[in-house]
Amino acid sequence: MSTQQQEPESQESPQDPEMKGTESPQQRRLKEKEEGMVDEHAEEEAEAAGETVHIKVFRYDPEVADKQEPRFDDFHVPFEKGMTVLDAVMYARDEFDSSLTFRHSCRQAVCGSDAFFVNGSQMLGCKTQLSELEQPVRIEPLPHQEVVKDLVVDMDHFYDQMHAVEPYFQDEDTPAASDLEEQRQSPENREKIKMSSRCIWCGACMSSCNIAAGDNEYLGPAAINKAYKFAMDDRESEEIKEHRLRILEQEHGVWRCQTQFSCTEVCPKDIPLTEHIQELKREAVKKNLKFW
Amino acid sequence: MSQSYNRGLIEDFGRWKEFSAGMWAWIFHKFTGWMLIGYLFTHIAVLSSAIAAADGQTMMLAGEQVDAYTGTLQGLESLFIVRVLEVGLLAVAVFHILNGIRLLMVDLGVGLTAQDKSFYASLVLTGVITVASVPTFMAGVGL
């Protein structure tokens, strides 16, 4: 049973030929969204027909003797228009199995709690429409992180890496608390770090990175992106920037990135992670270049 | 943290579906790199027959007495499988060069949004050059 139906007449964006190769991730997503609008009618039809969506959910429970062997459980969830992956697992938990465990919070792609491995790719459960997925929808915990229970993974290592880059504003010239004043940033500089500041710490990028999977000490795309946000902020002093670059240019820093672009492709916030890592590589080279 | 489950290698193999252009480019680049390193050792081994030739060693090839270097090279070139391997070597080298240029561009921040297209372009160009080279490589080979 499928809820996906093809619209007989495809709608092509008139901008397509020009946009190819130059579109930003946001533009691409917007275009995909616009193209997805043609499925709206199909979604309504599926809902009216009382269709269900078949989801296969990874299960593992170390505390129950007969559930310690990982397996997939099948659930058939009634389809509703606009239903997301998170909606489906919540329905399965509420109606079929209250022991089904997963993280979620804001349901608005802001908290970053519900990153899952859906049909072979890292996605945010609350952002991913079921109608866009091939059935049965296979929902697993993020790869390369140990599973604590069902869809819940251990994020400790991810958070350790995030904290390793000192993800907080530092400025030696910060005025004393008594005469604090506004620290202004130029609009151009804000624009430069805008995308990097969108990170929601969901861990999808880290999970998709094969290098991070093979090198536990690699800072990983999320942490490097976080460092980029501060290293490129012109309100921090040159000394602090150099200090940040020293952290990043270590053996397990930016140089471990091998430009697979996996992180950039799975990032639910469209952050150009690989681009940021490459820019930091160039900064590190510039810092160390000596012509004498 | 209490007990947790590490999905290990089985999980890694199960992830093949998420492989995308950048990932395949990375795999092909590593593979072609190792192939080229392997070829270099073979190349050195074949070239070393020049030392034997310099020492005056000869060998029989098609009823003729030739020096060791000439005999080794001509002997290899007369084999169909060697010609096929040469075509493969060209394909490997061309892809590695083209993808290397692509990676250089990525390092410089040029064409980052077209990284997948440049990978496909590298593949197509490699295919075209390889196919075009077949008549040259196969000329005069005895099957």
Side-chain angles (χ1 to χ4, degrees), chain B residues 75-129:
Chain B
L76 284 170
E77 288 299 316
S78 66
L79 299 173
F80 176 72
I81 185 69
V82 171
R83 300 293 184 105
V84 172
L85 286 173
E86 282 179 337
V87 173
L89 177 67
L90 179 81
V92 160
V94 168
F95 176 80
H96 200 78
I97 290 167
L98 292 175
N99 197 52
I101 294 168
R102 170 184 168 271
L103 291 176
L104 184 66
M105 292 299 159
V106 166
D107 283 342
L108 294 172
V110 178
L112 284 163
T113 51
Q115 62 88 16
D116 51 349
K117 294 180 188 71
S118 56
F119 166 62
Y120 298 134
S122 303
L123 281 181
V124 169
L125 211 49
T126 301
V128 170
I129 292 172

Side-chain angles (χ1 to χ4, degrees), chain A residues 21 120 144 146 258 278 282, chain B residues 4 12 15 18 20 26 107 113:
Chain A
H144 301 313
E146 299 216 339
Q258 300 197 9
Q278 295 307 100
R282 292 197 293 277
Chain B
S4 60
D12 288 340
R15 290 177 62 212
E18 72 173 320
S20 52
W26 179 74
D107 283 342
T113 51

Side-chain angles (χ1 to χ4, degrees), chain A residues 100-157:
Chain A
L100 178 57
T101 308
F102 49 92
R103 291 191 181 106
H104 77 91
S105 183
C106 74
R107 301 195 216 176
Q108 295 178 80
V110 175
C111 73
S113 308
D114 62 339
F116 303 132
F117 193 58
V118 184
N119 280 3
S121 185
Q122 288 79 0
M123 299 177 187
L124 269 193
C126 61
K127 197 181 174 188
T128 308
Q129 292 288 313
L130 278 175
S131 58
E132 294 169 358
L133 300 169
E134 198 177 305
Q135 287 198 52
V137 180
R138 194 178 161 97
I139 306 168
E140 299 170 66
L142 288 180
H144 301 313
Q145 278 139 313
E146 299 216 339
V147 182
V148 179
K149 186 179 178 186
D150 295 343
L151 300 174
V152 175
V153 292
D154 180 2
M155 299 284 281
D156 282 355
H157 177 65

Side-chain angles (χ1 to χ4, degrees), chain A:
Chain A
M1 189 183 301
S2 170
T3 58
Q4 279 192 306
Q5 292 179 16
Q6 292 295 319
E7 192 70 14
E9 293 175 17
S10 65
Q11 295 177 1
E12 279 188 22
S13 163
Q15 287 181 320
D16 278 354
E18 288 80 24
M19 295 299 288
K20 274 181 183 171
T22 56
E23 60 191 352
S24 68
Q26 301 102 301
Q27 288 170 321
R28 192 193 64 216
R29 295 270 173 152
L30 192 63
K31 198 172 77 182
E32 285 172 0
K33 201 171 176 181
E34 282 170 2
E35 285 168 358
M37 294 296 278
V38 297
D39 288 334
E40 202 172 289
H41 182 60
E43 256 190 83
E44 282 168 4
E45 277 185 358
E47 187 185 6
E51 286 190 10
T52 60
V53 177
H54 180 190
I55 60 173
K56 292 175 85 71
V57 185
F58 181 92
R59 304 301 304 274
Y60 165 73
D61 189 345
E63 291 167 359
V64 180
D66 62 344
K67 292 183 177 174
Q68 286 173 354
E69 189 60 35
R71 66 187 191 281
F72 280 89
D73 278 356
D74 294 88
F75 299 102
H76 293 269
V77 176
F79 180 76
E80 285 181 33
K81 189 186 165 201
M83 200 169 196
T84 63
V85 170
L86 181 63
D87 291 331
V89 287
M90 286 173 76
Y91 187 95
R93 177 198 61 191
D94 296 344
E95 303 295 329
F96 303 130
D97 185 350
S98 59
S99 70
L100 178 57
T101 308
F102 49 92
R103 291 191 181 106
H104 77 91
S105 183
C106 74
R107 301 195 216 176
Q108 295 178 80
V110 175
C111 73
S113 308
D114 62 339
F116 303 132
F117 193 58
V118 184
N119 280 3
S121 185
Q122 288 79 0
M123 299 177 187
L124 269 193
C126 61
K127 197 181 174 188
T128 308
Q129 292 288 313
L130 278 175
S131 58
E132 294 169 358
L133 300 169
E134 198 177 305
Q135 287 198 52
V137 180
R138 194 178 161 97
I139 306 168
E140 299 170 66
L142 288 180
H144 301 313
Q145 278 139 313
E146 299 216 339
V147 182
V148 179
K149 186 179 178 186
D150 295 343
L151 300 174
V152 175
V153 292
D154 180 2
M155 299 284 281
D156 282 355
H157 177 65
F158 174 77
Y159 293 139
D160 286 346
Q161 300 303 75
M162 293 298 273
H163 289 298
V165 297
E166 303 178 7
Y168 42 84
F169 189 70
Q170 301 176 42
D171 190 3
E172 291 162 342
D173 303 325
T174 304
S178 55
D179 54 356
L180 271 177
E181 59 185 44
E182 191 177 6
Q183 285 183 292
R184 291 193 176 171
Q185 181 183 30
S186 69
E188 294 78 25
N189 189 239
R190 166 63 193 156
E191 198 59 33
K192 184 175 178 61
I193 64 167
K194 183 177 77 178
M195 291 305 286
S196 62
S197 65
R198 296 178 68 179
C199 179
I200 54 173
W201 295 45
C202 66
C205 58
M206 191 80 158
S207 165
S208 74
C209 176
N210 280 27
I211 309 303
D215 177 5
N216 218 29
E217 290 180 61
Y218 176 40
L219 287 171
I224 295 174
N225 172 71
K226 186 56 76 178
Y228 175 93
K229 174 187 186 296
F230 290 102
M232 296 299 169
D233 191 323
D234 59 10
R235 291 170 296 177
E236 282 195 338
S237 65
E238 278 301 310
E239 289 76 34
I240 298 295
K241 182 172 179 175
E242 281 204 13
H243 168 66
R244 293 194 182 283
L245 286 176
R246 270 197 297 279
I247 296 172
L248 293 168
E249 69 188 15
Q250 302 298 317
E251 187 186 347
H252 299 282
V254 289
W255 301 110
R256 292 294 288 140
C257 170
Q258 300 197 9
T259 60
Q260 292 181 352
F261 288 89
S262 313
C263 55
T264 305
E265 283 175 16
V266 302
C267 178
K269 306 304 279 186
D270 299 329
I271 303 169
L273 294 155
T274 313
E275 192 174 333
H276 288 168
I277 298 171
Q278 295 307 100
E279 196 173 341
L280 286 169
K281 281 182 186 174
R282 292 197 293 277
E283 288 294 315
V285 169
K286 276 193 267 177
K287 186 172 82 70
N288 290 300
L289 270 186
K290 300 270 189 288
F291 293 105
W292 59 88

